[in-house]
Amino acid sequence: MAELFTEKRVVVSADPSSLADSVATRFLQRTIRRVSAGKITHISLTGGSMGTAVLAAISRHHRRDEVDWSRVHFWWSDERFVPVSSDDRNEKQARAALLDALSIPAENI
């Protein structure tokens, strides 16, 4: 069930790296809270330079390993129509930025 009372806010950062770090921190806080409460968490992945930057920031974040990744499911929501081997493929970028570094069941991706 969707969280109905989630705070909505505009975040302004000095640069893309700072924004990615800020989003990664909030993502991990919320994911840790949900998974710790026994909830399965579904994440829709987008592509693009900012989406990949956020995944990379999550990967290097000090709280990354606090998540029970077996309770998280990632879904492709914005895949490009390019060959599987293409460097432009969002799946390839997401796996390199974060997913390959996680201890997560293959069926959760």
Side-chain angles (χ1 to χ4, degrees), residues 74-109:
F74 289 98
W75 300 89
W76 306 114
S77 62
D78 184 28
E79 186 53 89
R80 296 174 179 153
F81 189 68
V82 296
V84 173
S85 61
S86 174
D87 288 339
D88 290 332
R89 190 168 176 86
N90 295 332
E91 176 186 7
K92 190 172 184 180
Q93 295 169 9
R95 288 186 182 280
L98 174 64
L99 300 178
D100 288 347
L102 301 179
S103 178
I104 186 170
E107 61 270 15
N108 288 20
I109 302 174

Side-chain angles (χ1 to χ4, degrees), residues 10-45:
V10 174
V11 177
V12 178
S13 296
D15 54 63
S17 178
S18 297
L19 178 60
D21 290 341
S22 174
V23 172
T25 296
R26 188 157 187 224
F27 170 90
L28 286 166
Q29 289 170 340
R30 293 184 67 186
T31 302
I32 290 165
R33 185 177 67 239
R34 289 184 55 79
V35 169
S36 296
K39 297 178 181 177
I40 299 293
T41 301
H42 296 270
I43 307 297
S44 178
L45 294 172

